[in-house]
Coordinates of all heavy atoms in Angstrom, one line a residue:
A153 N 107.4 76.3 104.1 CA 108.1 76.0 102.8 C 107.3 76.5 101.7 O 107.8 76.6 100.6 CB 108.3 74.5 102.7
A154 N 106.0 76.8 101.8 CA 105.2 77.3 100.7 C 105.7 78.6 100.2 O 106.2 79.4 100.8 CB 103.7 77.4 101.1
R155 N 105.6 78.7 98.8 CA 106.1 79.9 98.2 C 104.9 80.8 97.7 O 104.1 80.3 97.0 CB 106.9 79.6 96.9 CG 108.3 78.9 97.3 CD 109.0 78.4 96.1 NE 108.5 77.3 95.4 CZ 108.6 77.0 94.1 NH1 109.3 77.8 93.3 NH2 108.1 75.9 93.6
I156 N 105.0 82.1 98.2 CA 103.8 82.9 97.9 C 104.4 84.2 97.3 O 105.3 84.9 97.8 CB 103.1 83.3 99.2 CG1 102.5 82.0 99.8 CG2 102.0 84.3 98.9 CD1 101.7 82.2 101.1
G157 N 103.9 84.7 96.2 CA 104.3 85.9 95.5 C 103.9 87.1 96.2 O 103.3 87.1 97.3
K158 N 104.1 88.3 95.5 CA 103.8 89.6 96.1 C 102.4 90.0 95.6 O 101.8 89.5 94.7 CB 104.9 90.6 95.6 CG 104.9 90.9 94.2 CD 106.0 91.9 93.8 CE 106.1 92.1 92.4 NZ 107.2 93.1 92.0
G159 N 101.9 91.1 96.3 CA 100.6 91.6 96.0 C 99.5 90.7 96.3 O 98.5 90.6 95.5
V160 N 99.6 89.8 97.3 CA 98.6 88.8 97.6 C 97.7 89.3 98.7 O 98.2 89.9 99.7 CB 99.3 87.5 98.0 CG1 98.3 86.5 98.6 CG2 100.0 86.9 96.9
F161 N 96.4 89.0 98.5 CA 95.4 89.5 99.5 C 94.7 88.3 100.1 O 94.1 87.5 99.4 CB 94.4 90.3 98.7 CG 93.1 90.8 99.5 CD1 93.2 91.0 100.9 CD2 91.9 91.0 98.8 CE1 92.1 91.4 101.6 CE2 90.8 91.4 99.5 CZ 90.9 91.6 100.8
L162 N 94.9 88.1 101.4 CA 94.2 87.1 102.2 C 93.0 87.8 102.9 O 93.1 88.5 103.9 CB 95.1 86.5 103.3 CG 96.4 85.8 102.8 CD1 97.1 85.1 103.9 CD2 96.2 84.9 101.6
D163 N 91.8 87.7 102.3 CA 90.6 88.4 102.8 C 90.0 87.6 103.9 O 89.7 86.5 103.8 CB 89.6 88.5 101.6 CG 88.5 89.5 101.9 OD1 88.6 90.2 102.9 OD2 87.6 89.6 101.1
H164 N 89.9 88.3 105.1 CA 89.4 87.7 106.3 C 90.5 86.7 106.8 O 90.9 86.9 107.9 CB 88.1 87.1 106.2 CG 87.0 88.0 105.8 ND1 86.5 89.1 106.6 CD2 86.3 88.2 104.7 CE1 85.6 89.8 106.0 NE2 85.5 89.3 104.7
G165 N 90.8 85.7 106.1 CA 91.9 84.8 106.4 C 91.5 83.6 107.2 O 92.2 82.5 107.1
T166 N 90.5 83.6 108.0 CA 90.2 82.5 109.0 C 90.1 81.2 108.2 O 89.3 81.1 107.2 CB 88.9 82.8 109.7 OG1 89.1 84.1 110.4 CG2 88.6 81.7 110.6
G167 N 90.7 80.2 108.6 CA 90.6 78.9 108.0 C 91.4 78.6 106.8 O 91.3 77.5 106.2
I168 N 92.2 79.5 106.3 CA 93.1 79.3 105.1 C 94.2 78.3 105.5 O 94.8 78.4 106.5 CB 93.7 80.6 104.6 CG1 92.7 81.5 104.0 CG2 94.9 80.3 103.7 CD1 93.2 82.8 103.5
V169 N 94.4 77.3 104.7 CA 95.4 76.2 104.8 C 96.2 76.1 103.6 O 95.6 75.9 102.5 CB 94.8 74.9 105.2 CG1 96.0 73.9 105.3 CG2 94.1 75.0 106.6
I170 N 97.5 76.3 103.6 CA 98.4 76.2 102.4 C 99.5 75.3 102.7 O 100.3 75.5 103.7 CB 98.9 77.6 102.0 CG1 97.8 78.6 101.7 CG2 99.9 77.5 100.9 CD1 98.2 80.0 101.4
G171 N 99.5 74.2 101.9 CA 100.5 73.1 102.2 C 101.9 73.4 101.8 O 102.2 74.4 101.1
E172 N 102.8 72.5 102.2 CA 104.2 72.6 102.1 C 104.7 72.9 100.7 O 105.6 73.8 100.5 CB 104.9 71.3 102.6 CG 106.5 71.3 102.5 CD 107.0 70.0 102.9 OE1 106.3 69.0 102.9 OE2 108.2 70.0 103.2
T173 N 104.3 72.2 99.6 CA 104.8 72.4 98.3 C 103.9 73.2 97.4 O 104.1 73.3 96.2 CB 105.0 71.0 97.7 OG1 103.7 70.3 97.5 CG2 106.0 70.2 98.5

Side-chain angles (χ1 to χ4, degrees):
R155 292 179 286 155
I156 300 180
K158 65 182 179 180
V160 171
F161 174 31
L162 304 186
D163 193 7
H164 300 290
T166 302
I168 288 176
V169 177
I170 300 178
E172 178 185 18
T173 61

